[in-house]
Amino acid sequence: MAACAARRALAVGSRWWSRSLTGARWPRPLCAEAGTGAFSPAASTTTRRHLSSRNRPEGKVLETVGVFEVPKQNGKYETGQLFLHSIFGYRGVVLFPWQARLYDRDVASAAPEKAENPAGHGSKEVKGKTHTYYQVLIDARDCPHISQRSQTEAVTFLANHDDSRALYAIPGLDYVSHEDILPYTSTDQVPIQHELFERFLLYDQTKAPPFVARETLRAWQEKNHPWLELSDVHRETTENIRVTVIPFYMGMREAQNSHVYWWRYCIRLENLDSDVVQLRERHWRIFSLSGTLETVRGRGVVGREPVLSKEQPAFQYSSHVSLQASSGHMWGTFRFERPDGSHFDVRIPPFSLESNKDEKTPPSGLHW
């Protein structure tokens, strides 16, 4: 029961911050329930007591973990920047930025309607614009309370040829869009609990932020760049449900005298309205350069049928796809159900599966 309460407080709080912190007085204290991962921005002692009595288990107290800073409207956050995720509510630290191309079909230029074609391109001409994402570490204390995701890590790798595991993941490693960063400062020299924090970052009180990259972080970034790089982001909204897709090339493996190419893709679903909806079905179409077109239908996603509400408006998951060709396309729809039992389809923006990176052996662990 306590864990459920903590997750609920986390979800409600993160959405409240994203709406109300802009324009508020800065700095503002950031408080956390000890041992739960639930947070609240503390405006006063009275407010703090009110939030904690409503959302925390009996006997828990709020502890100040830092002070909010003004979110950056322009420019990038630096390595070592502490932040709170505005959607999923976890504490994290920025490792380094990625400059991605965002293809937003909601702001696409008008173009004549086109019939669906095997490449999966829709009816709009979409021009990409540069958008900043960040490679981050997630505080391990908060991972158990992130209920709106099927997993807290967003990075998986192919195992080596001689490894019996097909895939493995790096726990607590994520990608975060610039607008999802709520920056804060802390006087703690180790404010984030993650096994890589002190390997990657060094405390330096003369710097702002006071955490600088160690040589191990630079070497790790360079070594694993082809398998970490975020290059394209695709976004589309249907009936106030926004779908964001980020594909990643993972590498090639030989199987039964043929080449098999692997990708992972991360999908975030966001309800931009106040009406409650539930994801019921997925419908994918996967086109391979070899000329095959595959249709996949099924219940929910990754074994779940998430509910998107005003309190928990977002859900995120990752999955994988393999082709016996070096490139392809994917597109499709998600079917949602309203409280009255009616259904509607939400478009998944078409995205490319490309393998135009160096065919080096993917990492079998953390390479320094």
Side-chain angles (χ1 to χ4, degrees), residues 95-96 98 135 155-158 160 168 170 173 175 196 200 215-230 248-250 264 357-358 360-368:
L95 296 181
F96 45 81
W98 292 110
Q135 196 86 67
V155 181
T156 51
F157 293 105
L158 283 180
N160 281 340
Y168 72 93
I170 299 179
L173 191 64
Y175 296 86
L196 298 177
F200 283 169
E215 184 57 37
T216 49
L217 174 57
R218 299 188 186 96
W220 183 80
Q221 179 185 4
E222 181 179 356
K223 180 78 174 180
N224 300 291
H225 183 277
W227 321 110
L228 292 171
E229 183 181 10
L230 186 160
F248 300 86
Y249 177 57
M250 298 177 67
R264 70 178 181 269
K357 296 185 175 70
D358 294 337
K360 299 176 182 177
T361 302
S364 58
L366 296 177
H367 286 240
W368 312 106

Side-chain angles (χ1 to χ4, degrees), residues 23 77 84 114 126 139 162 214 225 245 254 289-290 293 313 325:
Y77 293 107
L84 193 71
K114 301 176 183 178
V126 184
D139 194 309
D162 56 355
R214 293 181 183 267
H225 183 277
V245 184
E254 294 183 6
L289 186 64
S290 62
L293 180 62

Side-chain angles (χ1 to χ4, degrees), residues 240-251:
N240 290 315
I241 304 298
R242 183 164 63 193
V243 180
T244 303
V245 184
I246 307 177
F248 300 86
Y249 177 57
M250 298 177 67

